[in-house]
Amino acid sequence: QLQLVESGGGLVQAGGSLRLSCVRSGRTFSSAPMGWFRQAPGKEREFVAAISWTGTSTTYVDSVKGRFTISRDNAKNSVYLQMNSLKPEDTAVYYCNSVHYSDYSKPLGSWGPGTQVTVSS
């Protein structure tokens, strides 16, 4: 059974950094583009970043460009999100998921439990 497990969230002050990890199990990982999404309280889940299966192509929502970096290690079935210069508006539960080959902003499959990121001002 396919599982996604996110980790690495926590409480950090504005301007700080966190590195999120997502481990995928139950299916071959390396051929799927992967993405990170987030959901803030009272808001819909939104796309944050995605990476191609080779790792050579990445895309980000405008609000995190220059601050967040997505990467992956296919040997470890893992995808990461390095978040720098965090802002209070980055506070949300962060999720990873596989994404559509033709539209990286569209998630596929079931969601994992997510990891909470809280940025204090």
Side-chain angles (χ1 to χ4, degrees):
Q1 184 177 355
L2 177 65
Q3 282 190 319
L4 296 167
V5 179
E6 303 89 350
S7 63
L11 174 63
V12 64
Q13 289 188 332
S17 298
L18 285 172
R19 185 177 188 244
L20 306 184
S21 298
C22 169
V23 179
R24 174 172 168 167
S25 62
R27 185 175 295 174
T28 301
F29 176 83
S30 62
S31 62
M34 295 292 295
W36 283 96
F37 299 79
R38 66 186 179 186
Q39 186 167 22
K43 295 186 178 181
E44 293 186 354
R45 187 149 33 199
E46 66 169 351
F47 168 79
V48 175
I51 187 168
S52 63
W53 72 273
T54 60
T56 57
S57 177
T58 59
T59 186
Y60 301 89
V61 68
D62 286 346
S63 59
V64 308
K65 284 181 180 177
R67 301 188 298 120
F68 290 11
T69 302
I70 188 171
S71 61
R72 66 189 294 163
D73 184 339
N74 291 339
K76 296 182 179 179
N77 284 351
S78 296
V79 62
Y80 309 98
L81 187 67
Q82 177 67 45
M83 305 187 297
N84 298 328
S85 302
L86 282 161
K87 303 176 180 180
E89 52 263 43
D90 295 318
T91 295
V93 179
Y94 284 71
Y95 303 86
C96 69
N97 210 332
S98 54
V99 298
H100 279 269
Y101 287 92
S102 59
D103 185 345
Y104 283 7
S105 69
K106 293 184 179 180
L108 291 172
S110 301
W111 296 100
T115 186
Q116 175 71 50
V117 171
T118 303
V119 185
S120 63
S121 57

